[in-house]
Amino acid sequence: MRRLLLSLGTVFLLAACGGGTTPPTGTPGITLTASATSGTIARGVSGTTTLTLVRVDGFAGAVSLAVEGAPSGVTVQFAPPS
């Protein structure tokens, strides 16, 4: 059985002002955490993880999530989609 190792650190891309790291105190931005940073998913099976985005110090800008670098045949969906 082939297995796919999907590392969220390389697949999920956060596109927003302030990036995905914790900004200095007093600087508006966001933080992003994942419930799992990596996992093994067998072919034909689905898997999930929870991403938590927190606005910091009054950040009110738009935030978009996108996927980059997913292997061929891998489908990634965000729920809710926006």
Side-chain angles (χ1 to χ4, degrees):
M1 177 185 299
R2 292 171 112 187
R3 293 191 178 261
L4 169 68
L5 179 61
L6 184 63
S7 174
L8 292 176
T10 58
V11 174
F12 284 99
L13 171 68
L14 176 64
C17 292
T21 59
T22 303
T25 303
T27 302
I30 59 171
T31 59
L32 178 69
T33 56
S35 61
T37 57
S38 67
T40 302
I41 302 171
R43 180 181 285 180
V45 178
S46 64
T48 62
T49 190
T50 300
L51 299 177
T52 303
L53 186 136
V54 176
R55 294 170 186 270
V56 178
D57 291 324
F59 180 79
V63 176
S64 298
L65 296 176
V67 175
E68 181 179 274
S72 176
V74 172
T75 302
V76 179
Q77 296 176 320
F78 294 103
S82 58

